[in-house]
Amino acid sequence: AVFKNLSRIRDVNKTKLWPMTEATILSGNVEIVRHLRFHDIQLPVFEMSYSVDERRYSDRFALSMHSEPMDSLINKMTGRRITIQYDPGDPANCFIPGGTIEGCRVEQKIGSLIRFYPRQ
């Protein structure tokens, strides 16, 4: 468990030098996701899209520890623009800095305890 936590911290630290761009949240749905500590849980999961060098990319993230109803949170987030960072060597890899949105913890590929990847 210690190695996995160190690996997650190292993954997050490498994003600090990545360039930033703006992403648009396209949609959100309540999904059952796999949490490494709590097994399967329901969370609002969002699809976002961003461009790097005129090429479009998309990714997903979830919000946990929310205090408002999930449907309300999804409605509030859909269409919102957020700042993300992307790997200059592989722009399909991105990271949402800051750790929270709307007071909710951001769960994403890099550094998360949530596993909702891969998703078709």
Side-chain angles (χ1 to χ4, degrees):
V2 171
F3 176 74
K4 286 184 181 182
N5 286 337
L6 289 175
S7 177
R8 276 195 278 278
I9 291 168
R10 188 176 56 245
D11 288 346
V12 169
N13 282 339
K14 74 180 178 185
T15 67
K16 290 179 181 175
L17 299 176
W18 288 0
M20 293 186 170
T21 192
E22 196 170 73
T24 301
I25 299 171
L26 303 174
S27 64
N29 289 299
V30 177
E31 295 184 18
I32 296 173
V33 297
R34 183 104 182 132
H35 191 285
L36 297 180
R37 287 192 193 139
F38 306 117
H39 304 291
D40 292 346
I41 57 174
Q42 284 190 333
L43 290 178
V45 177
F46 299 90
E47 293 278 341
M48 67 178 173
S49 175
Y50 59 99
S51 295
V52 175
D53 295 329
E54 298 183 25
R55 184 159 179 213
R56 279 254 184 260
Y57 298 92
S58 63
D59 206 349
R60 296 161 48 86
F61 68 95
L63 293 177
S64 65
M65 298 183 195
H66 48 85
S67 58
E68 65 183 285
M70 285 189 254
D71 289 343
S72 173
L73 185 58
I74 288 169
N75 288 336
K76 186 186 289 186
M77 294 295 296
T78 301
R80 180 181 280 191
R81 294 175 169 269
I82 60 172
T83 299
I84 64 161
Q85 293 174 272
Y86 64 90
D87 181 345
D90 180 9
N93 264 341
C94 71
F95 181 74
I96 301 169
T100 62
I101 297 175
E102 289 293 324
C104 305
R105 180 183 157 105
V106 176
E107 305 290 354
Q108 54 193 321
K109 272 191 289 198
I110 298 174
S112 181
L113 293 176
I114 301 292
R115 296 290 178 239
F116 49 94
Y117 292 89
R119 168 73 192 243
Q120 303 304 330

